[in-house]
Amino acid sequence: DGDRRKKIPVEFGALPDHLRNAVIAVEDRRFFDHAGIDWRGIGRAMLRDINEGEIVQGGSTITQQIIKNSFLTSDRTFDRKLKEAAMALILESRLSKEEIFTLYCNEVYLGQSGTFAIHGFGEAAQVYFDKNVGDLTLSEAAFLAGLIHAPNRYSMQRDMTRAVERRNLVLDAMVETGAITTESAESAKREQLVIKGRKAQNDYGASYFIDYAQRYIDQKYGAQEGRLAGRIYTSMDPRLQRAAYEAVTVQSVKLDKLFARPSRKGGEAPKVQAALVALDAHTGEVVAMVGGRDYAESQLNRATDARRQPGSTFKPFVYASALGGRSFTAASLLSDRPQTFSYDGGRAEYKPTNYHGGFSNKDVTLRDALARSLNIPAVELAMRVGLTNVADLAEECGLKRPASYPSMALGASEVTPLEIAAAYTAFANEGMALRPMPVKPAQATRQNGSADRRAATGARAFSPQVAYLMTNMMQTVVDAGTASKVRAMGLRGAIAGKTGTSNDGWFVGYTPRLVCAVWVGFDDNQDLKLKSSDSALLVWADFMKQALEYCPAYGGDEFARPSGIVTADIDPATGYLATPQCASTRSELFIAGTEPYGSCSCGMMEDDFTAETAYLDSLAPEAENTDYSKISLDICPESGLIANSNCPHSRRKTFDLGKEPLDTCRKDHSVDIDTASAEPPLLTPLVEGGSRPVSENREPLKNRRPEQPKKKQPPY
């Protein structure tokens, strides 16, 4: 329930006589004689209330207490008492006395066990005495009956003397009602009360999941309907939940030792926190969730409610946007050199650096840039693809729409671990991003008894081909990139993922069936000053090793490959098709139709260059002074992309070749334009003294290196 109550239901026949008699003696001596209202008790209570000048005694029967606890508030008003009395009469006409008494004994509040509320004598007998309710002694039964009036006040843990006094009062009341003899009462009073209750069972962080599931049910089905719907089955797998909790606990303790030094403000060293959430990539069901290291210490669910910058775990959405527009491939080249990016109409600038502070000062392919988590290429790619396009894709994947600034490409917007895990289902689920759900939809029943068979909702974020290419590129991250420690820790099979380092450590990875996101950091947002591969990735790997051992079906040897994917051997230094003369080659994947159309120039003879130059001169003999290192485009000032016919304020802007945007602006930033079929924009190389239009019926620019023209290919 919403107040975190735990109970063990018992039948009327399972309640021992001395427990029933104890409850009757102190709570409602005429329970089996009245019809729901004890007029004598009410008269006695009213006289005392009049003498005191306020309501100090209610005279409520057991039936009235059930009504108050289940349907009304605890406000001490005459209006509430009238409602309570009327409803008690109704309840008495519907249920037998045994049914009402059993209901009361299963629902009555009897104290706390950690963060859980103890409800009912079945649970209380286990918590306080580690016994079944039928095995309680007279002394123990009297103590439990005495707790009803004020469970926390008469708790043995808080004040043993007061608890013993209350037990003795109950025993005396039982003598007055004739339930026991004076000798039996005196013998029970001499019995020492000893808490033998078993230690609170470790729920392996499931309390965080329970809170999340309760909130989901209230939002999805309505708070009242969710509570009355009866039995609802959650999606949590206890084996994976335990694996998640143990991974978080073990690695957090190791990090604590690393940070075992006084904080800057004095006092104890800050305590590292962590969160983990795992989803079934094909259904969206949450199978494990840990929102922190200790629920009793902090009920903040960091998996669902703590928003932090995800760092480079956001980069795959930038790359997916580029691949989806077909302007880039995994072999396209980006610059890893210091750059300054202008935005907001040229009024602001952004100058990022790589995590390690250095630059390779060379061109790198998209695959290598992602594997090494290079920042400059990611920002350049986002600017050329269009910040609004990247933001659109992130939103379609279920993330809160990020602000369209260059820093967005590096994960400057805030997310929760649950949100980023759900967004990654798009990569593992053939482009369909699923919204997370913690219940089994086919088994959740509505109030009217009908089954609710709604599955997880989702949205098509990109094509299966883009999803597969991104997965393949993120496999390189795990096999040879920033997450290679995953392999060093012994995990095998098909695994893809991405590291992310901000002030915190992030890792989001997945197998063919299981997506898992891990966050590690401090609650006060101090800088962890650790790479994610030394923090979050360790938790992820620990969890996945156990998860795949428990549930091998979540793993696999390879990801399913859709149709429309082709392979070509390329020269990674140029991005072109490899030739026998290339120093190194590698096999690269492409969406059919986007593979490079030119071959690498390695080994090209001088006669070949002469023939190439003559061919180019024959195309444009009048443009001897053309500067093919520059390009001018009509740009939309709002989006920074190539203007379309709907952009009212487009203006011409000059770019270094290879730095120009390749995608077309969207009208009102919401109407998609099919860049593959749209009319190509006019490209104009700069010429001294003027410009010359170039044929609009040209192939899209791919992997251009104008300083070394390719054989039998015009520059545009």
Side-chain angles (χ1 to χ4, degrees), residues 622-628 684-693:
E622 75 282 8
E624 294 180 1
N625 295 321
T626 298
D627 184 358
Y628 287 109
T684 309
L686 296 185
V687 183
E688 279 190 21
S691 62
R692 172 181 65 86

Side-chain angles (χ1 to χ4, degrees), residues 330-626:
S332 297
L333 296 180
L334 297 168
S335 174
D336 184 32
R337 301 175 180 85
Q339 296 187 57
T340 300
F341 299 93
S342 298
Y343 63 98
D344 194 16
R347 294 186 293 272
E349 292 184 341
Y350 179 58
K351 192 172 184 179
T353 60
N354 287 323
Y355 175 77
H356 51 75
F359 306 92
S360 64
N361 291 309
K362 63 181 182 180
D363 292 339
V364 293
T365 64
L366 265 67
R367 180 180 293 274
D368 292 334
L370 185 65
R372 294 160 57 190
S373 198
L374 300 176
N375 289 343
I376 307 302
V379 177
E380 177 187 347
L381 187 62
M383 296 294 288
R384 295 178 65 184
V385 168
L387 298 177
T388 55
N389 289 346
V390 177
D392 286 344
L393 181 66
E395 190 173 30
E396 289 165 359
C397 289
L399 298 177
K400 182 179 179 182
R401 184 180 181 85
S404 296
Y405 297 109
S407 58
M408 169 185 67
L410 306 184
S413 57
E414 295 182 334
V415 302
T416 66
L418 179 62
E419 289 172 344
I420 197 76
Y424 265 65
T425 60
F427 302 118
N429 192 39
E430 299 183 335
M432 285 294 296
L434 300 175
R435 306 303 182 250
M437 58 185 301
V439 299
K440 295 282 188 181
Q443 294 168 315
T445 56
R446 293 183 172 279
Q447 191 172 357
N448 61 12
S450 63
D452 181 2
R453 301 189 178 277
R454 285 179 292 182
T457 58
R460 168 67 64 185
F462 34 75
S463 69
Q465 290 75 25
V466 171
Y468 182 77
L469 281 185
M470 286 304 308
T471 293
N472 188 263
M473 290 169 65
M474 282 191 275
Q475 283 184 274
T476 304
V477 175
V478 171
D479 293 337
T482 56
S484 58
K485 191 172 286 188
V486 167
R487 297 302 189 192
M489 294 180 69
L491 279 165
R492 298 292 178 260
I495 297 174
K498 186 69 189 75
T499 54
T501 305
S502 52
N503 279 2
D504 314 309
W506 291 80
F507 186 72
V508 188
Y510 56 97
T511 63
R513 189 65 189 263
L514 188 65
V515 177
C516 176
V518 174
W519 166 86
V520 174
F522 294 111
D523 281 340
D524 62 2
N525 206 25
Q526 286 188 51
D527 191 348
L528 193 63
K529 295 182 179 179
L530 283 175
K531 294 185 296 183
S532 58
S533 57
D534 294 326
S535 56
L537 184 145
L538 304 181
V539 179
W540 188 92
D542 262 9
F543 165 71
M544 291 299 292
K545 280 194 289 187
Q546 295 185 67
L548 296 179
E549 180 180 343
Y550 294 144
C551 306
Y554 280 126
D557 294 329
E558 58 184 17
F559 291 94
R561 179 168 172 168
S563 60
I565 298 293
V566 298
T567 304
D569 292 334
I570 66 161
D571 173 13
T574 64
Y576 284 102
L577 295 175
T579 66
Q581 290 75 29
C582 291
S584 64
T585 64
R586 78 172 175 217
S587 182
E588 187 57 87
L589 299 178
F590 301 89
I591 298 175
T594 66
E595 60 270 27
Y597 59 83
S599 299
C600 176
S601 59
C602 296
M604 184 179 287
M605 303 300 293
E606 185 175 350
D607 291 343
D608 295 327
F609 282 111
T610 303
E612 181 81 3
T613 303
Y615 174 73
L616 293 175
D617 289 343
S618 69
L619 289 177
E622 75 282 8
E624 294 180 1
N625 295 321
T626 298

Side-chain angles (χ1 to χ4, degrees), residues 10 14-23 105 110 120-147 156 171 174 188 191 193-197:
V10 295
L15 296 169
D17 290 341
H18 46 260
L19 178 59
R20 291 201 297 264
N21 293 332
V23 173
C105 289
L110 295 171
F121 290 107
E123 179 71 17
Q126 292 284 355
V127 171
Y128 291 110
F129 301 112
D130 195 18
K131 291 183 177 181
N132 293 325
V133 68
D135 298 328
L136 292 172
T137 66
L138 173 59
S139 175
E140 293 165 346
F143 164 75
L144 293 181
L147 287 177
M156 286 189 290
L171 290 170
M174 294 177 71
E191 182 179 321
L193 282 176
V194 179
I195 298 179
K196 302 177 183 178

